[in-house]
Amino acid sequence: MLPWLLFLAAICHNVLMKRALVLCGGGSLGSYEVGAWKFLRERGLDRFDLVTGTSIGAINGALVVSGDFENAERLWKTVAADKIISHGINVDDRMWDNFTKANFSRLMTLGKDYLRNGGVDISPLIGLMKNAIDPQKVLASPIGFAVTTATFPGLKQHNVDIKKCKEDEVMDWLLASSACYPIFPIRTIHGHRYVDGGYNDNLPIDLALKMGAEEIVAVLLHAIPKVPQHPELMDLPLVTTVRPSRDTGSIMNFNSGITAANMDLGYFDAARTFGECWGRGFAFEKDESLEPRFRSFVVEMARENLFLLPKTIKALSREGPKPTSNLQLYIWAIELMGDWLGMDYLKTYRIDDFLAEVRERTREQWHDPSAPRFLLDHNWGRRIEETERKPFLGYMDYIYTNDLRKDEIGKLAEGTPEILALMALFAQFKATGWLA
């Protein structure tokens, strides 16, 4: 009888387990969260008991709690700088490259508004939120909802359980959580002043835990700073963190192409995080039958230069954890080629289809007038520069296809350890007749 009781208790625990979604602050990068939500929704993984969020994560969180995915997707597909800030312009590190008189005029008007209001005029954002978010639906939802903000001037963290607020206070607290001071104006509520919750807790996993969460899906944004205040919480066993695999750009760039790309990236990063596909920066259909290929690739690297292998593994790992399988090393190596060749990372590939495109692009380098210059211009004692990557892959393709000497490539691997992985891949391509 006891085993059955334990079994039933385990089932009840799983059924009653409180799942939470935690959404990060990050301005225009918020479209990434909607992309992650889209994946979770399509796979039936969006059944949450609780949502916590900061700044744009609080605004997106209100839409999640309301179940308004279509509304959220439409909002992020139509958002623009002047729909957030009066006379707004997109801000990124290239904004001055093609700065026009019209942009200068808007910037001057923006500055006048800032001085007059103690912050930019966010009346367009307020209007946008009123059209997108229904406080009644937020409060009526069975999903718990809390946001973070910070007191001003003390900048002490202040958590707000939205479900305990009055209807006319909901929007105020969402705006307080996203009051990106000193750009946005300070928000005053009940005689107290508040600013963006990102000052203290940009990814409020701790708030979800305090509210009883036992299983958490957290969505990180590469805001300012890129690492949240409590990064150790993202790696807890009960937390699954969806993290950007690519540079997502400025938090104040509402260019429609960029927000759309970040939405797609959020979708693919969520798919990778939940094991829907293989990959770290690209998405590959799973194919377990390829395991012998993965193993032979790692063996080939060891045979080529065993003592360089640890450095190569570290280089392929970038700043992340070390690989745990032959599969990871192989995928990271072919992704390196995809990155160097500028391939589309917002789609799903079969591995062999991906390699066929790699093949086509590397062979194109044979006919690129700049490619032969690699042999003449490269300083063979230093790393491969970013501008040399494509012609270098073309050079490798030519060398391996025509059975030419590879000594110089081997020397380059000392300064650019990733090249050892590329050598193993091309050797494997050659052995299987793929280069013919």
Side-chain angles (χ1 to χ4, degrees):
M1 187 70 176
L2 185 59
W4 278 103
L5 289 174
L6 292 173
F7 177 70
L8 289 172
I11 292 176
C12 290
H13 179 265
N14 286 332
V15 170
L16 299 174
M17 183 179 291
K18 204 170 198 178
R19 290 185 76 236
L21 175 67
V22 177
L23 298 174
C24 190
S28 60
L29 308 182
S31 63
Y32 179 92
E33 294 174 332
V34 176
W37 179 17
K38 181 178 181 180
F39 171 82
L40 295 172
R41 186 169 174 268
E42 288 181 359
R43 300 304 186 273
L45 299 171
D46 63 333
R47 297 183 181 92
F48 296 105
D49 306 292
L50 170 66
V51 175
T52 64
T54 298
S55 198
I56 195 62
I59 295 172
N60 281 336
L63 292 164
V64 173
V65 168
S66 304
D68 283 337
F69 173 78
E70 287 80 7
N71 209 4
E73 188 176 43
R74 182 167 52 253
L75 184 154
W76 280 103
K77 284 183 175 180
T78 58
V79 74
D82 57 3
K83 291 184 179 181
I84 303 297
I85 300 169
S86 290
H87 313 292
I89 60 173
N90 291 316
V91 178
D92 62 16
D93 56 2
R94 292 175 294 180
M95 66 176 290
W96 303 108
D97 293 348
N98 296 298
F99 204 70
T100 64
K101 288 183 178 180
N103 282 341
F104 180 77
S105 177
R106 292 169 76 91
L107 193 60
M108 292 299 292
T109 306
L110 194 65
K112 291 176 183 177
D113 287 346
Y114 182 91
L115 293 173
R116 182 169 53 249
N117 302 322
V120 296
D121 180 2
I122 61 166
S123 54
L125 171 63
I126 294 172
L128 197 67
M129 289 173 60
K130 286 181 177 178
N131 287 331
I133 298 170
D134 183 347
Q136 285 187 346
K137 288 179 73 173
V138 172
L139 296 176
S141 170
I143 303 172
F145 183 37
V147 304
T148 67
T149 185
T151 60
F152 188 86
L155 295 182
K156 292 183 179 179
Q157 184 168 337
H158 182 72
N159 300 327
V160 182
D161 187 339
I162 296 295
K163 304 309 278 288
K164 295 179 180 178
C165 296
K166 296 178 182 178
E167 184 180 325
D168 61 357
E169 296 174 339
V170 171
M171 208 65 73
D172 276 338
W173 284 116
L174 295 181
L175 287 165
S177 180
S178 53
C180 185
Y181 183 80
I183 301 173
F184 285 18
I186 298 167
R187 197 77 185 172
T188 301
I189 304 174
H190 302 315
H192 299 283
R193 296 189 295 171
Y194 300 94
V195 293
D196 200 295
Y199 277 102
N200 290 292
D201 199 358
N202 207 33
L203 185 65
I205 294 172
D206 55 327
L207 178 55
L209 291 169
K210 288 174 184 174
M211 297 181 71
E214 298 173 84
E215 181 183 346
I216 294 172
V217 176
V219 184
L220 176 69
L221 300 179
H222 282 166
I224 301 174
K226 284 191 175 183
V227 179
Q229 289 85 349
H230 308 290
E232 68 282 358
L233 299 182
M234 294 190 293
D235 298 318
L236 291 175
L238 55 83
V239 179
T240 301
T241 305
V242 180
R243 313 171 195 230
S245 60
R246 302 275 176 174
D247 179 20
T248 45
S250 162
I251 66 169
M252 291 299 292
N253 190 345
F254 292 90
N255 175 280
S256 59
I258 292 174
T259 55
N262 282 339
M263 192 182 300
D264 289 341
L265 183 64
Y267 183 94
F268 280 105
D269 281 341
R272 284 184 278 266
T273 300
F274 284 87
E276 180 85 3
C277 55
W278 286 338
R280 176 176 58 184
F282 290 85
F284 301 100
E285 292 179 9
K286 293 181 176 180
D287 186 350
E288 302 291 347
S289 69
L290 298 177
E291 170 54 31
R293 184 191 299 182
F294 308 151
R295 186 172 58 253
S296 67
F297 161 72
V298 177
V299 170
E300 184 63 39
M301 279 199 296
R303 285 175 177 165
E304 187 66 47
N305 192 330
L306 180 60
F307 298 105
L308 186 60
L309 185 55
K311 284 186 179 181
T312 303
I313 291 174
K314 183 178 179 181
L316 291 174
S317 303
R318 299 176 187 168
E319 302 299 322
K322 291 182 179 179
T324 57
S325 65
N326 296 331
L327 161 67
Q328 279 187 320
L329 277 173
Y330 182 85
I331 293 294
W332 293 353
I334 65 172
E335 284 189 336
L336 179 70
M337 297 182 78
D339 282 335
W340 283 18
L341 292 166
M343 289 171 59
D344 183 6
Y345 55 84
L346 296 176
K347 60 185 287 189
T348 303
Y349 296 90
R350 288 178 61 253
I351 286 179
D352 283 343
D353 291 341
F354 181 85
L355 292 177
E357 187 171 338
V358 166
R359 178 75 180 91
E360 182 179 346
R361 292 192 179 211
T362 54
R363 183 138 294 185
E364 284 173 358
Q365 294 300 312
W366 290 21
H367 308 291
D368 185 332
S370 67
R373 297 294 308 176
F374 175 83
L375 292 174
L376 299 175
D377 296 346
H378 182 71
N379 179 343
W380 291 86
R382 58 174 171 78
R383 284 185 62 84
I384 299 292
E385 299 293 337
E386 184 174 348
T387 55
E388 297 176 315
R389 290 172 179 174
K390 282 187 181 181
F392 174 69
L393 287 175
Y395 173 65
M396 286 194 73
D397 188 290
Y398 184 82
I399 290 291
Y400 277 84
T401 299
N402 294 284
D403 292 321
L404 302 177
R405 290 183 60 183
K406 307 169 184 67
D407 297 350
E408 290 178 324
I409 292 178
K411 291 176 185 176
L412 278 176
E414 295 292 337
T416 310
E418 303 95 306
I419 289 175
L420 178 63
L422 299 179
M423 293 177 72
L425 283 175
F426 273 99
Q428 193 176 62
F429 299 158
K430 180 68 176 178
T432 57
W434 185 67
L435 292 178

